[in-house]
Amino acid sequence: MNKLLIALGLAASVALVGCNKQEAPETGATTGEHLENAADQAGHDISKAADEAAAKTEAATEEATAKIDAAGEEAAAKTEAAAQNAKEAAKDATVATASAVEDGAANVKERAQQ
């Protein structure tokens, strides 16, 4: 009797282990195939993410370069305008100084004649 129970237990164990090794019914793929497919998908996802990151980095670099160029051009224009203003101010100061010298000389000449 004990031998019969042991034989039935072993048969049930073999049947259960055999059922667990069968392919998954929903896809027909084994666990190894699922893992391989998941690894492939992860590789594609990583590659896609890297490509997107590279594209965003390139776009950000181009935008930063354009802004730096625009800022440089604006600074150059403002520097040129400031230099022009300084030149005009120097001219005005020279004219005012010369006029003041002439007026002073005329006053000295007029006083000398009196």
Side-chain angles (χ1 to χ4, degrees), residues 1-110:
M1 178 85 173
N2 283 339
K3 291 183 180 181
L4 182 59
L5 288 175
I6 291 174
L8 287 174
L10 285 174
S13 295
V14 169
L16 288 174
V17 169
C19 289
N20 286 338
K21 289 187 178 180
Q22 290 180 350
E23 294 180 358
E26 69 277 356
T27 63
T30 63
T31 302
E33 290 170 334
H34 281 297
L35 291 174
E36 184 178 337
N37 291 339
D40 288 343
Q41 184 62 45
H44 292 300
D45 291 347
I46 290 170
S47 177
K48 183 179 176 183
D51 290 344
E52 288 176 5
K56 287 180 181 180
T57 301
E58 183 178 351
T61 301
E62 289 174 3
E63 183 179 349
T65 301
K67 287 182 179 181
I68 290 169
D69 289 345
E73 290 172 7
E74 182 180 350
K78 286 182 178 182
T79 301
E80 185 177 337
Q84 186 64 31
N85 289 342
K87 183 179 176 182
E88 292 298 319
K91 276 186 192 179
D92 293 345
T94 302
V95 169
T97 303
S99 178
V101 169
E102 286 178 4
D103 289 344
N107 287 340
V108 169
K109 185 178 179 181
E110 187 178 309

